[in-house]
Amino acid sequence: MANPGSFIRSAARATSSAYKRLPIRWRLAGGSAALTLVILCGFATIVGVLTTRRIQSDFNQQVAEAADELAKQSDLRVVERPNGQLDLRYRGPNLEAYAAAQSAVVRVITEDNELIKSSRDAPKLAPPLAPTIEFNGYRVESRPVRVHPIGGVGFVQYARRLSDVRATANRVKVFLGLGVLGGTALALLAGLATARRAMSPITELTEAARTIERTRDPSRRIPHPEAEDEVAELARTLDGMLHALDDARTETEATLSRQREFVADASHELRTPLTSVLANLELLEEVLDGEQREAAASALRSSRRMRRLVADLLLLARADAGRIAPHQDIDLSRVVAEAAGELEPVAGDHQITVSAPPGATVSGARDELHRLAVNLMENALRHTDPGTAVEASVERANGQVVLSVSDDGPGIPIENREKVFERFFRGDGDRSGSSGLGLAIVRAVAESHAGSVSLEDSPDGRGATFVVRLPAEKPYAAPTHRISV
């Protein structure tokens, strides 16, 4: 059998948890309504008790006064019948009229409870053993009446139903109950309205915070309420926090800007000594023999790779620093064809196919767009097996020039699809020797040309398809030709 104490504690915890999940305005309004309910219940209880007692007292008094009055106006007389028997006759007010005024019943009886006269439908009441009794749902008042001329006593019984006074008391209780419920409902509505007005400064703070979250601009100010209360203190605290965040962001942006400028400048300055080193190593490779020639050739390959890495870093640093190269109208189809021709010597057993209609013009920097196309196709060559087909296509669609590079290789795992555009990212088992900057450069170039790049599913479900979308500059209407390299 479950422990009652444990059950009560569990119920209390559940109630407390449900209360905490309520909005603050409902808590305030509910507390106000609960307090009002307690006050009104106490008031209604006191008023109900006093009122019902008063109603009962008035009822009893009315019945007693009516009986007294009827007894004063009534008497009994002895009348001799023609056969010589004596009979008691009632003399007084009309019993029907007297009883009808208060929905009462009246009986005139002897000491032995023998009926002399009664109002219509008057039930038999208890013997007049006491002046006041309650019998069979009636309050009965019995009063003595003298018998003339022989003396003796008869009785007048005046009775009213107790259900009449109980119905009146019940109506009072119903009205009081409705008053309590109505007052509680009004208190709840008034509490909600008051809580809403009281919470309006909090609502303004919330809207300001949402605006700052949406715009990511901590320099915006928090509205300060006029009253000097806890809400005003909260507004000042939030305002101070935003000031501190704005200062921290400004300082961080300044530091990052200096770092980007430094990387861009350093990468640019490295190009000159690297060019000199490459020239000297090329010269040494030509004049040396044997192992020395092989050492120079190895250093030359490493230096060329370093030059490529420095060029990549310089491009990314310029993009981060917001340095935009001069733009001009470029035929992207020609750029893609040139990139494919450049990669032909290193394509090996791969087959590169280019489908590029002339006139797919965009506004951009030729060298950067060339690097974008080379990186996309080189990425396909590096990460697919020999014999894999690589296809590049250029087309115009919906005011854009769309460059797609796809292959029928193993594809890219789903968990890596969001990471391939990150800098220095290499997939598991990557043995191509890449720096991990190729696709990061593609994204940087696309974004600097107001475009985008995405990895999309291939129509046949195999391989990988990278799609670059750039704004088109001029309308195009020319036939498509295919170039196989």
Side-chain angles (χ1 to χ4, degrees):
M1 183 176 179
N3 186 356
S6 176
F7 176 77
I8 294 174
R9 287 192 295 271
S10 299
R13 285 194 296 269
T15 303
S16 176
S17 177
Y19 176 76
K20 291 179 180 178
R21 288 195 296 268
L22 287 175
I24 293 179
R25 61 178 180 273
W26 278 101
R27 294 192 211 174
L28 294 175
S32 173
L35 180 60
T36 303
L37 177 63
V38 171
I39 295 174
L40 289 180
C41 284
F43 176 77
T45 300
I46 295 173
V47 172
V49 170
L50 295 178
T51 303
T52 52
R53 287 181 180 177
R54 182 65 180 178
I55 291 173
Q56 185 68 48
S57 175
D58 290 346
F59 175 79
N60 295 341
Q61 184 177 357
Q62 288 173 6
V63 175
E65 290 178 351
D68 292 340
E69 185 66 23
L70 180 60
K72 289 179 181 180
Q73 299 178 22
S74 303
D75 60 19
L76 295 175
R77 292 187 177 274
V78 177
V79 178
E80 183 178 358
R81 295 181 181 180
N83 58 7
Q85 292 183 349
L86 298 179
D87 195 6
L88 287 177
R89 297 290 179 87
Y90 165 77
R91 296 182 61 185
N94 184 285
L95 296 184
E96 290 292 338
Y98 199 88
Q102 297 291 335
S103 299
V105 294
V106 179
R107 297 178 81 238
V108 181
I109 60 176
T110 65
E111 288 183 295
D112 299 329
N113 201 23
E114 294 293 333
L115 180 65
I116 299 174
K117 190 176 181 60
S118 69
S119 61
R120 184 181 303 172
D121 299 328
K124 185 175 182 179
L125 302 176
L129 302 177
T132 303
I133 60 172
E134 291 185 1
F135 175 78
N136 200 20
Y138 284 88
R139 183 174 181 86
V140 183
E141 294 285 347
S142 299
R143 298 292 184 269
V145 178
R146 290 186 61 82
V147 179
H148 301 280
I150 63 175
V153 177
F155 288 91
V156 173
Q157 290 184 316
Y158 183 89
R160 289 182 61 183
R161 293 181 180 274
L162 295 173
S163 58
D164 294 343
V165 69
R166 290 171 183 167
T168 303
N170 289 335
R171 284 195 294 272
V172 171
K173 293 177 182 178
V174 169
F175 289 144
L176 288 174
L178 293 177
V180 169
L181 294 178
T184 303
L186 291 177
L188 179 62
L189 295 177
L192 284 174
T194 303
R196 185 180 296 276
R197 289 181 60 86
M199 294 293 291
S200 59
I202 301 293
T203 303
E204 293 179 2
L205 292 180
T206 303
E207 291 299 327
R210 286 176 178 168
T211 301
I212 293 172
E213 178 189 16
R214 184 176 63 256
T215 61
R216 300 196 175 193
D217 182 11
S219 63
R220 290 177 176 267
R221 300 277 68 86
I222 293 292
H224 287 254
E226 298 180 2
E228 289 296 327
D229 53 10
E230 292 80 359
V231 178
E233 182 65 22
L234 174 61
R236 285 192 292 269
T237 302
L238 290 176
D239 211 13
M241 180 189 69
L242 288 175
H243 273 296
L245 289 176
D246 191 25
D247 294 341
R249 188 188 70 165
T250 302
E251 183 179 351
T252 301
E253 288 182 348
T255 302
L256 291 175
S257 179
R258 289 193 296 269
Q259 290 179 350
R260 295 189 189 103
E261 294 287 344
F262 171 77
V263 173
D265 294 339
S267 300
H268 179 74
E269 294 299 327
L270 282 174
R271 298 179 68 180
T272 300
L274 275 176
T275 302
S276 177
V277 169
L278 285 170
N280 290 330
L281 288 175
E282 290 173 354
L283 178 60
L284 288 175
E285 185 184 22
E286 292 178 358
V287 300
L288 294 178
D289 296 320
E291 294 182 358
Q292 293 180 341
R293 180 185 179 89
E294 292 179 0
S298 177
L300 181 59
R301 287 193 297 272
S302 297
S303 297
R304 285 172 177 167
R305 184 180 177 189
M306 184 182 299
R307 181 177 64 178
R308 177 71 178 271
L309 181 60
V310 168
D312 291 344
L313 290 174
L314 177 60
L315 191 152
L316 291 174
R318 284 176 173 173
D320 290 341
R323 298 182 182 180
I324 301 176
H327 285 200
Q328 57 183 348
D329 290 345
I330 304 295
D331 187 351
L332 189 61
S333 298
R334 180 174 297 178
V335 172
V336 172
E338 291 174 356
E342 181 180 322
L343 292 174
E344 180 185 4
V346 297
D349 295 332
H350 290 83
Q351 180 182 1
I352 303 177
T353 303
V354 177
S355 175
T361 306
V362 298
S363 176
R366 185 179 188 86
D367 291 343
E368 294 183 0
L369 293 174
H370 181 81
R371 178 69 62 81
L372 178 146
V374 168
N375 284 4
L376 283 177
M377 287 186 281
E378 189 176 37
N379 179 74
L381 297 177
R382 285 178 179 271
H383 299 90
T384 56
D385 296 330
T388 303
V390 177
E391 181 175 358
S393 64
V394 179
E395 62 180 358
R396 295 175 65 98
N398 300 322
Q400 293 180 321
V401 174
V402 181
L403 165 61
S404 299
V405 176
S406 59
D407 61 70
D408 56 1
I412 297 176
I414 296 178
E415 63 271 14
N416 291 339
R417 290 195 170 192
E418 297 297 328
K419 302 178 182 178
V420 293
F421 296 104
E422 297 178 2
R423 299 178 186 183
F424 302 107
F425 173 77
R426 297 183 180 89
D428 297 337
D430 185 359
R431 300 179 182 177
S432 62
S434 65
S435 63
L437 294 176
L439 293 178
I441 290 175
V442 170
R443 182 171 66 177
V445 172
E447 291 177 352
S448 68
H449 286 72
S452 63
V453 60
S454 60
L455 174 59
E456 300 181 359
D457 294 329
S458 300
D460 57 2
R462 298 185 66 246
T465 300
F466 289 89
V467 180
V468 177
R469 292 179 173 84
L470 301 175
E473 283 298 308
K474 296 179 181 178
Y476 164 70
T480 301
H481 62 275
R482 300 180 67 85
I483 304 173
S484 296
V485 186

